[in-house]
Amino acid sequence: MAWRGWSQRSWGCGPAWAAPVGGRGCEELTTALAPPRLFGRRFTFVIQQKCGFRKAPRKVELRRSDTGTSGKAHKRSALIPPVEETAFYPSPYPIRTLIKPLFFTVGFTGCAFGSAAIWQYESLKSRVQSYFDGIKADWLDSIRPQKKGDFRKEINKWWNNLSDGQRTVTGIIAANVLVFCLWRVPSLKRTMTRYFTSNPASKVLCSPMLLSTFSHFSLIHMAANMYVLWSFSSSIVNLLGQEQFMAMYLSAGVISNFVSYVCKVATGRYGPSLGASGAIMTVLAAVCTKMPEGRLAIIFLPILTFTAGNALKAIIAMDTAGLILGWKVFDHAAHLGGALFGIWYVTYGHELIWKNREPLVKIWHEIRTDGPKKGGGSK
């Protein structure tokens, strides 16, 4: 098995500037200051000072966590969308902004694994019927005249040749491509920035934690993430199964975004993030933890190979260094959150969550099998 891609997740933050104001003379003085462009617009601040004691000028400052100084133009990463038309307002009580995302993370994770358990129950129940339907379909195909060049038949043949993992992630890749195309529609950019980028300073906090997992603004960013997901799809689905993998993947996207929220609030470095890297890091970490001796390679350096265990250690070390040193290009907190969740799930979470799903499955089985009793009499 060869790993041929690095997962990436973009990190962007707003610009900053400081505009000191000074008073002159005893008469009313109007000073107009034009600070550097903020989000693509020029703002003019008018300060009036009356005769009397001069007060110390108060600096107006916006926090910025990206590169550059206050006098230089803001440099935005090519992986994130422009946010000129979207203003973000950090809460004066930053800890409170994490309450709703915390409840959303816990609730969504529980619903994801509960739905996956019911999905698996329904899949197992329908396999027998599908088996007989398959036999009937094969018999009809044998007596039916075959059409040459049938496009639908070729699509079915290609689909049947895919592994279970590849068929599972095909829907995820299609959703990412659709969202990528929506980013190209100019009239939707404001909506896409609000709902498909995660930022604790935004008015919408919860739904972007999931939607941003399917959101990519850069073609290179999306292609790299989807290639890594495709490469690891067979291994992770063989390890967990289709239903459990989908629950873990969706939960990982939300959990990694919550870790990113916590880091942004703790450091005060607010900014939009998007991409599937947090969820993909969970998949990568889970596979590397279960198969540490597997051989991996980088897409651009296929000759250089290394073990999956060493690759995971290197990625965690790099993201830890990026988080501590304040590297601005990627959302290292989301990477670390996804990787740690993947390691925890395959080590402890599978036993703690998935193997204790039987009570829920029994309740669902009773609902599915117990119909209304005839006669209406009591026992």
Side-chain angles (χ1 to χ4, degrees):
M1 178 187 66
W3 176 54
R4 301 179 180 274
W6 294 97
S7 62
Q8 301 176 350
R9 183 180 179 89
S10 57
W11 175 296
C13 299
W17 48 267
V21 178
R24 296 180 182 179
C26 190
E27 298 180 355
E28 181 173 332
L29 178 65
T30 301
T31 305
L33 294 179
R37 288 186 179 275
L38 180 62
F39 295 120
R41 299 179 181 178
R42 183 178 295 276
F43 293 87
T44 302
F45 294 87
V46 179
I47 294 89
Q48 293 181 348
Q49 182 175 338
K50 294 184 178 181
C51 178
F53 292 102
R54 297 180 181 178
K55 295 182 179 181
R58 186 176 182 179
K59 293 184 179 180
V60 182
E61 189 176 273
L62 291 180
R63 187 186 299 272
R64 181 180 69 181
S65 64
D66 211 316
T67 56
T69 60
S70 60
K72 295 182 181 180
H74 170 55
K75 296 181 180 179
R76 180 179 58 84
S77 172
L79 299 179
I80 62 172
V83 293
E84 288 84 356
E85 298 181 357
T86 304
F88 298 106
Y89 304 95
S91 172
Y93 307 100
I95 300 299
R96 295 182 182 179
T97 63
L98 298 176
I99 297 177
K100 288 177 64 177
L102 175 61
F103 280 102
F104 177 78
T105 302
V106 175
F108 180 84
T109 301
C111 292
F113 281 96
S115 301
I118 295 174
W119 178 16
Q120 187 185 62
Y121 168 85
E122 294 294 337
S123 298
L124 293 174
K125 189 175 181 180
S126 63
R127 281 184 182 177
V128 175
Q129 185 64 35
S130 299
Y131 173 76
F132 289 108
D133 291 342
I135 294 177
K136 182 179 179 180
D138 293 340
W139 178 76
L140 290 176
D141 289 340
S142 63
I143 64 175
R144 181 184 303 158
Q146 300 295 322
K147 296 181 180 180
K148 295 183 178 180
D150 190 356
F151 179 74
R152 183 177 178 181
K153 183 178 179 181
E154 294 298 326
I155 294 295
N156 291 335
K157 183 179 178 181
W158 169 80
W159 179 259
N160 293 330
N161 288 333
L162 297 178
S163 65
D164 291 339
Q166 291 171 338
R167 285 197 292 265
T168 302
V169 302
T170 298
I172 299 176
I173 296 174
N176 280 268
V177 173
L178 175 60
V179 175
F180 174 78
C181 294
L182 293 178
W183 274 111
R184 312 271 80 80
V185 181
S187 60
L188 295 178
K189 288 224 176 145
R190 182 186 294 269
T191 301
M192 299 298 294
T193 303
R194 172 172 291 188
Y195 293 100
F196 286 85
T197 61
S198 60
N199 188 355
S202 176
K203 293 182 178 179
V204 184
L205 293 175
C206 295
S207 58
M209 297 174 69
L210 174 64
L211 297 178
S212 64
T213 306
F214 300 89
S215 179
H216 297 84
F217 183 76
S218 168
L219 179 61
I220 297 176
H221 187 199
M222 182 186 68
N225 278 343
M226 295 303 101
Y227 183 84
V228 175
L229 179 61
W230 182 269
S231 300
F232 282 88
S233 60
S234 298
S235 300
I236 190 64
V237 171
N238 290 337
L239 182 65
L240 301 178
Q242 183 182 23
E243 299 85 6
Q244 189 179 183
F245 159 71
M246 287 299 301
M248 187 192 72
Y249 182 86
L250 296 177
S251 300
V254 175
I255 291 173
S256 63
N257 269 307
F258 179 74
V259 175
S260 176
Y261 276 13
V262 173
C263 181
K264 290 177 182 179
V265 169
T267 60
R269 297 171 179 171
Y270 297 93
S273 299
L274 75 168
S277 302
I280 293 175
M281 282 294 296
T282 298
V283 174
L284 189 150
V287 174
C288 292
T289 302
K290 277 296 186 180
M291 296 180 286
E293 300 302 324
R295 304 298 298 181
L296 305 179
I298 304 175
I299 183 174
F300 301 110
L301 298 173
I303 301 177
L304 180 62
T305 61
F306 38 83
T307 63
N310 290 335
L312 181 60
K313 294 176 183 177
I315 292 174
I316 292 178
M318 182 185 68
D319 284 319
T320 302
L323 185 63
I324 295 175
L325 299 177
W327 296 348
K328 314 299 181 183
V329 179
F330 306 122
D331 193 341
H332 297 284
H335 286 188
L336 283 175
L340 294 178
F341 175 67
I343 296 172
W344 174 84
Y345 186 80
V346 297
T347 306
Y348 305 105
H350 176 76
E351 299 285 338
L352 182 64
I353 298 176
W354 192 249
K355 289 194 173 181
N356 291 324
R357 69 190 186 281
E358 291 184 5
L360 176 62
V361 174
K362 288 181 179 179
I363 294 174
W364 180 255
H365 175 74
E366 293 177 358
I367 295 174
R368 292 281 281 111
T369 56
D370 292 347
K373 299 183 181 297
K374 296 182 179 181
S378 59
K379 294 183 179 179

